[in-house]
Amino acid sequence: MPSARPSNTTASAAQFVPEGKGWAALRSAAAGCRGCELYRDAHQTVFGEGPVKARLMMVGEQPGDHEDVEGHVFVGPAGRLLDKALDAAGISRPEVYLTNAVKHFKFTERGKRRIHQQPRRSEVVACFPWLREELRVVKPELVVCLGAVAAKALLGPSFKLTEHRGEVVEHDGLRVGVTVHPSSVLRAEDYTTAYDAFVADLKALKKVL
Ligand code: URA
Ligand code: SF4
């Protein structure tokens, strides 16, 4: 397999991260991040949001088209599905700190449409310093990864989501729960089964809090 270009192998947000700062300073610094190439085509950095003292943090993959335009996490179709599932699981979205493994929208253009592209491992690694800082300031009791990209960002590239969904693992002093990404529910052939399984995971994870 051809390796990533040298500029990508060293890509990192690290040099843009102010040391030891609070959430607001991190968010404004992230707005100017050029840690990898994804800032070039996107509208803006979409930083995490929610109570800085949240007990529960949820991590998605990356902002989508709507999030990129509006500058807020989970405001598009995946966000609406997430809202509904959180409600069904008895979790209050305003009490959750919501963020993403990668803070810029990655896409390809097809006519007027911008089609989501999964971030590369090098981009997830480049963006990780922001997530690490969010974890430092929020100090959640539980972090729930929504989908494989988030799970691999926190638990390593060999982590198998399908073998552990609905479970909590201890990692680097963090309690990390895993479930699928809400977009996978929207894409599922059998929506009802996929949705019910997602809600069941969220209910199981909520018990850990
Ligand atoms: N999908 C994500 O992973 N995050 C968002 O913010 C929106 C869609
Ligand atoms: Fe920086 Fe992350 Fe955006 Fe890359 S995706 S430019 S590392 S904020």
Side-chain angles (χ1 to χ4, degrees):
M1 208 171 77
S3 58
R5 279 172 287 160
S7 64
N8 282 333
T9 59
T10 54
S12 177
Q15 59 180 308
F16 297 92
V17 176
E19 230 171 274
K21 288 284 168 45
W23 182 85
L26 290 167
R27 187 196 160 122
S28 43
C33 184
R34 305 279 185 267
C36 75
E37 290 181 2
L38 295 185
Y39 77 89
R40 288 175 195 264
D41 297 329
H43 283 110
Q44 57 191 315
T45 306
V46 182
F47 205 64
E49 298 174 297
V52 177
K53 290 288 159 247
R55 296 172 66 204
L56 176 60
M57 181 187 284
M58 289 188 160
V59 185
E61 182 190 288
Q62 59 163 331
D65 193 352
H66 292 79
E67 290 78 16
D68 178 54
V69 172
E70 294 180 35
H72 297 290
V73 291
F74 285 108
V75 291
R80 279 195 292 280
L81 188 281
L82 179 63
D83 285 353
K84 192 172 137 196
L86 287 175
D87 198 47
I91 299 171
S92 156
R93 170 161 168 165
E95 289 174 20
V96 181
Y97 185 91
L98 274 171
T99 191
N100 287 299
V102 168
K103 275 33 177 189
H104 274 106
F105 178 36
K106 181 175 183 179
F107 59 93
T108 50
E109 273 169 314
R110 212 167 290 160
K112 281 193 189 138
R113 291 185 63 213
R114 304 193 300 166
I115 314 290
H116 157 275
Q117 264 199 309
Q118 188 162 301
R120 276 196 284 250
R121 176 78 193 157
S122 60
E123 291 152 348
V124 174
V125 169
C127 210
F128 189 73
W130 295 120
L131 183 54
R132 191 195 60 219
E133 290 300 299
E134 290 177 293
L135 289 165
R136 178 181 64 77
V137 296
V138 178
K139 294 186 191 67
E141 286 170 37
L142 177 69
V143 186
V144 171
C145 296
L146 301 170
V149 171
K152 285 170 195 264
L154 280 169
L155 301 169
S158 54
F159 186 80
K160 296 243 181 343
L161 174 75
T162 45
E163 290 170 14
H164 297 282
R165 61 176 293 186
E167 295 175 15
V168 174
V169 297
E170 299 269 344
H171 184 84
D172 276 348
L174 268 183
R175 286 200 302 176
V176 183
V178 288
T179 183
V180 296
H181 193 281
S183 295
S184 75
V185 177
L186 292 175
R187 284 192 311 263
E189 248 170 67
D190 181 351
Y191 170 83
T192 307
T193 303
Y195 176 75
D196 290 348
F198 183 45
V199 172
D201 284 354
L202 293 175
K203 281 185 178 162
L205 293 168
K206 186 190 170 216
K207 288 207 182 111
V208 176
L209 273 178

